[in-house]
Amino acid sequence: MSRLLSTWRTLPLTSRLGLAVVVVLCAVAILAPWLAPYDPSERVARPFAHPSLDHPLGADDAGHDLLSVLILGARPSLLVGGIAAVVATAVGSTVGLTAGYLRGVVDTVLMRVVDVVLSLPVVPLTLVIGVLAGPGLPTQIVVISLALWAPMARELRAQVLSVRERDHILALRAVGARHGYVLIRHVVPTVAVLVVPQLVLAVKSAVLLEATLAFLGLGDVSSMSWGMMLSVANSRNAFLTDAWLWWVVPPGAMIALTVLAVALASGAVERVAAGSGAARRERRTSGPRGRARLDASGRAAPSGTGEFTAEIPPEGAVTRSASPIESVRSTERGPSTELHAGASAPALLHLEGLTLRYGDGDEVGGGCREVGLELLRGEVLGLVGGSGSGKSTVASAVVGLMPAAARLQGGRILFDGIDLLELGPRERRHLLGSRIGLVPQEAQSALNPVHRVGEQIVEALLVHERLPHESARERARELLGLVGLPAERFRAYPHQLSGGQRQRVVLAIALACGPDLVVADEPTSGLDVLVQQEILELLRDLRDRLGLTMLLVTHDLPVVMQVADRLAVMHDGQVVEQGATSAVLAAPQHPCTRRLLDSLPELPDLEGASR
Ligand SMILES: Nc1ncnc2c1ncn2[C@@H]1O[C@H](COP(=O)(O)OP(=O)(O)OP(=O)(O)O)[C@@H](O)[C@H]1O
């Protein structure tokens, strides 16, 4: 209540005024039968009676009290407007969400339907539908909803297109989460803030359209809305006498007042919706009072100090069923370290002539050409090259998250003998996260900022494994331990972690279901040198302990030199050189490899300098 009051105080005067008028109008509509001084269907005055104390708005041609008709008219006007707006918003939002999220054929078909609806002239269309369906409130609701849903669908689709490309949504799709799950749990909450003000604006348009339809004779004569009052006044020659002053002006003024008030109130609703989203985030990020605070290393710090806050689970709350490594190993599927870099070992990942370009027609370009790579089980392959050489294109093709503009022109990606490019979306989703894990670039944006990091690991686990929630949480804590984070970090939000800690969480998500292959796209970018070193040590450690098979994409040669068994160098979309790391570094064959090596900084001879 106090939050509502404080929000009310922050609203501009016009918004407050609009909200107040909307509330009064709704109250009048609800209480109309008790507020109206007379029964509007009874003849209580002489026809065309002028306004008087008994009848402040006079009477119509049949002697009905016009004030009572006006008060009762609020009901159908607001009811039709409200219901039609809700229906239009529901249809428009569903279409916009589906088209924007699924893209492809679904998007094309739905947007062409939207284009057709938008190109139809509203008034003649409504007349045709009205004549076919017959006048009445249901017809009005259908016609108004039909006229309003299409612009909403278009607007929402644009928002969803941008939200679906956010890194944390891509990261979730990379662990194989179902479309419905990603939509409902991550996309809908983000765009809901936009839907609420749209709904309010739709009410405004719907009230106006209801009046238009009623005036055109598509209203329900048995329930006299304000639009219907105008229609009846017109047909009963109110304009030929001075009766229009009290028969036409008041309902016209009420329609104008409603539209204006709703328009003013929409600003307030937008603010409140955005505010409540922010407050929810704030509540989530600050957590309940009285929680212990942790310092950067995860130890308890005196409350009221320190940047990091996280709840410490009660002592003994976690009963460890297996060591973190055992947890991950228990889901391992193939041989690992024994076959490490063995020349005769079967390739886990095999790319043949992969050609992927961006754009269509004359605009086609970029991407990668005729890429051939082989990654053995237990091996770390470093994919290096300058900016724009095509590394990310190859990585995105392996995990199946190519940008919309990407066009596959040929080649195969064999993963454990399965051609990934031949798989349907559902089969591919089953592999992602469970057998192929992705460590995306930019851990900060790959994590959902309003969900606890532990829950994000749990989410990745539950996408593929049927586990009781508590067991999943326990596994998530073990995975945190595996990547070198204290289990207490489970309850932290991404912003409460350092860059290196976030990167570890992203790694834990990638490892959650014990994948056979991990694709790490620039896993150390944006981190300072010391943290980079820590992450590299962690990768090395995981490789040795778990026999991880990893495709490590980076432009940073020193990074791969420390972890990769073999290197593949890309330039201009092609692999120009590949071989054992030591061999490539010792005797680079291609000028690009030599340039990459030459670009490595050399430390000055400090000893010499100090002499
Ligand atoms: N969505 C896209 N639309 C059009 N062209 C693209 C798109 N993404 C990449 N490209 C082009 O494809 C080529 C390869 O890009 P890619 O991102 O794979 O390179 P990269 O080696 O990963 O570079 P960086 O290290 O800078 O990310 C570049 O020429 C780039 O301009």
Side-chain angles (χ1 to χ4, degrees), residues 158-173:
Q159 298 296 334
V160 174
L161 277 178
S162 120
V163 170
R164 83 187 293 285
E165 296 307 323
R166 290 191 187 163
D167 288 348
H168 67 270
I169 304 278
L170 286 179
L172 200 62
R173 286 167 52 210

mmCIF file of all heavy atoms in Angstrom, residues 158-173:
data_model
loop_
_atom_site.group_PDB
_atom_site.id
_atom_site.type_symbol
_atom_site.label_atom_id
_atom_site.label_comp_id
_atom_site.label_asym_id
_atom_site.label_seq_id
_atom_site.Cartn_x
_atom_site.Cartn_y
_atom_site.Cartn_z
ATOM 1 N N ALA A 158 8.622 -7.121 -32.988
ATOM 2 C CA ALA A 158 9.899 -6.400 -33.086
ATOM 3 C C ALA A 158 10.659 -6.495 -31.761
ATOM 4 O O ALA A 158 11.875 -6.719 -31.738
ATOM 5 C CB ALA A 158 9.647 -4.949 -33.467
ATOM 6 N N GLN A 159 9.926 -6.374 -30.653
ATOM 7 C CA GLN A 159 10.579 -6.443 -29.342
ATOM 8 C C GLN A 159 11.130 -7.850 -29.099
ATOM 9 O O GLN A 159 12.240 -8.022 -28.617
ATOM 10 C CB GLN A 159 9.579 -6.105 -28.227
ATOM 11 C CG GLN A 159 9.008 -4.710 -28.300
ATOM 12 C CD GLN A 159 10.085 -3.660 -28.112
ATOM 13 O OE1 GLN A 159 11.120 -3.926 -27.480
ATOM 14 N NE2 GLN A 159 9.880 -2.488 -28.674
ATOM 15 N N VAL A 160 10.307 -8.855 -29.445
ATOM 16 C CA VAL A 160 10.725 -10.242 -29.185
ATOM 17 C C VAL A 160 11.946 -10.600 -30.030
ATOM 18 O O VAL A 160 12.860 -11.284 -29.568
ATOM 19 C CB VAL A 160 9.551 -11.221 -29.453
ATOM 20 C CG1 VAL A 160 10.006 -12.665 -29.322
ATOM 21 C CG2 VAL A 160 8.424 -10.944 -28.485
ATOM 22 N N LEU A 161 11.974 -10.087 -31.274
ATOM 23 C CA LEU A 161 13.138 -10.361 -32.134
ATOM 24 C C LEU A 161 14.414 -9.901 -31.459
ATOM 25 O O LEU A 161 15.447 -10.556 -31.540
ATOM 26 C CB LEU A 161 12.975 -9.627 -33.471
ATOM 27 C CG LEU A 161 12.120 -10.305 -34.533
ATOM 28 C CD1 LEU A 161 12.015 -9.429 -35.764
ATOM 29 C CD2 LEU A 161 12.672 -11.674 -34.895
ATOM 30 N N SER A 162 14.334 -8.754 -30.783
ATOM 31 C CA SER A 162 15.549 -8.250 -30.141
ATOM 32 C C SER A 162 15.827 -9.026 -28.846
ATOM 33 O O SER A 162 16.968 -9.393 -28.566
ATOM 34 C CB SER A 162 15.423 -6.745 -29.916
ATOM 35 O OG SER A 162 15.518 -6.400 -28.583
ATOM 36 N N VAL A 163 14.767 -9.346 -28.082
ATOM 37 C CA VAL A 163 14.976 -10.065 -26.808
ATOM 38 C C VAL A 163 15.543 -11.465 -27.062
ATOM 39 O O VAL A 163 16.415 -11.930 -26.345
ATOM 40 C CB VAL A 163 13.630 -10.162 -26.032
ATOM 41 C CG1 VAL A 163 13.761 -11.097 -24.840
ATOM 42 C CG2 VAL A 163 13.210 -8.779 -25.558
ATOM 43 N N ARG A 164 15.061 -12.148 -28.115
ATOM 44 C CA ARG A 164 15.489 -13.534 -28.332
ATOM 45 C C ARG A 164 16.979 -13.627 -28.695
ATOM 46 O O ARG A 164 17.583 -14.675 -28.581
ATOM 47 C CB ARG A 164 14.644 -14.215 -29.414
ATOM 48 C CG ARG A 164 15.079 -13.948 -30.813
ATOM 49 C CD ARG A 164 14.143 -14.481 -31.843
ATOM 50 N NE ARG A 164 14.056 -15.921 -31.923
ATOM 51 C CZ ARG A 164 14.967 -16.720 -32.458
ATOM 52 N NH1 ARG A 164 16.070 -16.216 -32.957
ATOM 53 N NH2 ARG A 164 14.792 -18.011 -32.504
ATOM 54 N N GLU A 165 17.554 -12.497 -29.138
ATOM 55 C CA GLU A 165 18.981 -12.527 -29.480
ATOM 56 C C GLU A 165 19.864 -12.165 -28.298
ATOM 57 O O GLU A 165 21.077 -12.114 -28.410
ATOM 58 C CB GLU A 165 19.277 -11.565 -30.640
ATOM 59 C CG GLU A 165 18.603 -11.935 -31.956
ATOM 60 C CD GLU A 165 18.865 -13.369 -32.398
ATOM 61 O OE1 GLU A 165 19.976 -13.861 -32.186
ATOM 62 O OE2 GLU A 165 17.920 -14.007 -32.921
ATOM 63 N N ARG A 166 19.225 -11.856 -27.139
ATOM 64 C CA ARG A 166 20.064 -11.536 -25.982
ATOM 65 C C ARG A 166 20.854 -12.772 -25.581
ATOM 66 O O ARG A 166 20.368 -13.901 -25.704
ATOM 67 C CB ARG A 166 19.200 -11.071 -24.808
ATOM 68 C CG ARG A 166 18.616 -9.715 -25.080
ATOM 69 C CD ARG A 166 17.997 -9.114 -23.875
ATOM 70 N NE ARG A 166 17.314 -7.897 -24.267
ATOM 71 C CZ ARG A 166 16.414 -7.292 -23.537
ATOM 72 N NH1 ARG A 166 16.105 -7.760 -22.361
ATOM 73 N NH2 ARG A 166 15.835 -6.185 -23.964
ATOM 74 N N ASP A 167 22.042 -12.509 -25.067
ATOM 75 C CA ASP A 167 22.955 -13.628 -24.854
ATOM 76 C C ASP A 167 22.415 -14.668 -23.883
ATOM 77 O O ASP A 167 22.630 -15.854 -24.060
ATOM 78 C CB ASP A 167 24.313 -13.107 -24.366
ATOM 79 C CG ASP A 167 25.053 -12.418 -25.490
ATOM 80 O OD1 ASP A 167 24.600 -12.562 -26.638
ATOM 81 O OD2 ASP A 167 26.047 -11.733 -25.229
ATOM 82 N N HIS A 168 21.694 -14.213 -22.831
ATOM 83 C CA HIS A 168 21.274 -15.226 -21.863
ATOM 84 C C HIS A 168 20.170 -16.114 -22.439
ATOM 85 O O HIS A 168 20.025 -17.257 -22.044
ATOM 86 C CB HIS A 168 20.859 -14.613 -20.523
ATOM 87 C CG HIS A 168 19.632 -13.777 -20.554
ATOM 88 N ND1 HIS A 168 19.654 -12.429 -20.789
ATOM 89 C CD2 HIS A 168 18.335 -14.100 -20.396
ATOM 90 C CE1 HIS A 168 18.433 -11.964 -20.750
ATOM 91 N NE2 HIS A 168 17.593 -12.949 -20.513
ATOM 92 N N ILE A 169 19.432 -15.589 -23.422
ATOM 93 C CA ILE A 169 18.414 -16.428 -24.071
ATOM 94 C C ILE A 169 19.128 -17.421 -25.003
ATOM 95 O O ILE A 169 18.803 -18.605 -25.040
ATOM 96 C CB ILE A 169 17.426 -15.555 -24.884
ATOM 97 C CG1 ILE A 169 16.784 -14.499 -23.985
ATOM 98 C CG2 ILE A 169 16.381 -16.421 -25.597
ATOM 99 C CD1 ILE A 169 15.623 -14.950 -23.176
ATOM 100 N N LEU A 170 20.134 -16.916 -25.729
ATOM 101 C CA LEU A 170 20.909 -17.813 -26.608
ATOM 102 C C LEU A 170 21.570 -18.914 -25.783
ATOM 103 O O LEU A 170 21.591 -20.071 -26.176
ATOM 104 C CB LEU A 170 21.981 -17.026 -27.366
ATOM 105 C CG LEU A 170 21.487 -16.143 -28.515
ATOM 106 C CD1 LEU A 170 22.654 -15.415 -29.155
ATOM 107 C CD2 LEU A 170 20.762 -16.975 -29.568
ATOM 108 N N ALA A 171 22.094 -18.499 -24.607
ATOM 109 C CA ALA A 171 22.778 -19.477 -23.761
ATOM 110 C C ALA A 171 21.795 -20.555 -23.310
ATOM 111 O O ALA A 171 22.137 -21.731 -23.262
ATOM 112 C CB ALA A 171 23.393 -18.780 -22.548
ATOM 113 N N LEU A 172 20.567 -20.144 -23.005
ATOM 114 C CA LEU A 172 19.566 -21.119 -22.568
ATOM 115 C C LEU A 172 19.188 -22.043 -23.719
ATOM 116 O O LEU A 172 19.008 -23.249 -23.531
ATOM 117 C CB LEU A 172 18.328 -20.368 -22.071
ATOM 118 C CG LEU A 172 17.400 -21.158 -21.170
ATOM 119 C CD1 LEU A 172 18.118 -21.572 -19.905
ATOM 120 C CD2 LEU A 172 16.180 -20.343 -20.823
ATOM 121 N N ARG A 173 19.074 -21.462 -24.913
ATOM 122 C CA ARG A 173 18.765 -22.317 -26.064
ATOM 123 C C ARG A 173 19.929 -23.266 -26.330
ATOM 124 O O ARG A 173 19.740 -24.385 -26.796
ATOM 125 C CB ARG A 173 18.464 -21.458 -27.289
ATOM 126 C CG ARG A 173 17.081 -20.804 -27.163
ATOM 127 C CD ARG A 173 16.858 -19.731 -28.162
ATOM 128 N NE ARG A 173 17.118 -20.149 -29.505
ATOM 129 C CZ ARG A 173 17.555 -19.328 -30.465
ATOM 130 N NH1 ARG A 173 17.762 -18.052 -30.200
ATOM 131 N NH2 ARG A 173 17.762 -19.762 -31.659
#
